[in-house]
Amino acid sequence: MELIQETPDLSAYLAASEVIDHHHPLVRETAARLASTVDDSYAYARAAYEFVRDGIPHSADSGDPRVTWRASDVLEQGTGICHAKAHALAALLRAEDIPTALCYQSLMHDDGSALCVHGLIAVRFDGAWHRQDCRGNKPGVDSQFSLEGEHLAWVPDPESHETDYSVLYAEPHPAVLRALKAAPDREYLWKTLPTAL
């Protein structure tokens, strides 16, 4: 699949914002701590990915009802769904000047009841974008950081109307962000996340 930048301006994928607040002290401290353990930007990207994937539980896996959406809040509260974790990873990567985009899939809920938009990121190295899924592994899910072929949590099943979206966003999709901001808890969020983009 060809990944398409929403904007041709690569600096948009390095920008700080209300959501991807990599200027926040906690994001900066976390990025500096991770950077101190590695030798180059490739290793940093992997370390940041593994920190978010493994160190911040997906709230559905842990049973945490809290809804986070701002990167610094995800790091501070240590919880989030896929979208929130993607925002946190994007902030950590942008904090170290690694262009990072938000991207999406439409997948069936675990119980097969309905489609739901799933969030991931794409990181830019060597002139190309590489999608990564930091939602967190569990039985049946084994996502890995990779710049050589994708190792995402899920591959969409077209027969179930699941799909990959090719657009790379500099900021969260407005429909996703509205749902996150409006949700008082994860149970409510599960009912209000968009089914498609």
Side-chain angles (χ1 to χ4, degrees), residues 22 24-38 44 47-48 51 75 88 91-97:
H22 63 74
H24 189 281
L26 179 57
V27 179
R28 288 298 205 195
E29 290 164 17
T30 305
R33 187 177 73 248
L34 292 168
S36 72
T37 67
V38 295
Y44 174 81
F51 170 78
L75 296 177
L92 290 172
L93 293 169
R94 291 183 186 185
E96 291 294 313
D97 296 321

Side-chain angles (χ1 to χ4, degrees), residues 20-150:
I20 304 172
D21 58 342
H22 63 74
H23 53 280
H24 189 281
L26 179 57
V27 179
R28 288 298 205 195
E29 290 164 17
T30 305
R33 187 177 73 248
L34 292 168
S36 72
T37 67
V38 295
D39 295 328
D40 58 35
S41 60
Y42 295 99
Y44 174 81
R46 180 184 301 277
Y49 168 85
E50 291 176 351
F51 170 78
V52 174
R53 183 194 65 189
D54 302 337
I56 299 173
H58 189 290
S59 56
D61 296 347
S62 65
D64 194 323
R66 295 175 293 169
V67 175
T68 53
W69 52 268
R70 184 181 287 112
S72 58
D73 291 339
V74 175
L75 296 177
E76 189 270 324
Q77 296 182 40
T79 190
I81 67 164
C82 58
H83 300 288
K85 293 181 67 165
H87 300 166
L89 180 54
L92 290 172
L93 293 169
R94 291 183 186 185
E96 291 294 313
D97 296 321
I98 298 171
T100 307
L102 301 168
C103 45
Y104 302 94
Q105 298 173 315
S106 186
L107 303 169
M108 292 298 291
H109 274 291
D110 285 346
D111 62 8
S113 61
L115 288 169
C116 177
V117 172
H118 174 62
L120 29 147
I121 65 113
V123 63
R124 190 168 177 88
F125 277 110
D126 299 328
W129 289 100
H130 307 273
R131 293 193 305 168
Q132 313 294 330
D133 191 340
C134 62
R135 67 96 45 222
N137 290 337
K138 62 179 185 175
V141 175
D142 181 27
S143 59
Q144 302 294 326
F145 183 85
S146 175
L147 301 179
E148 298 177 5
E150 294 185 336

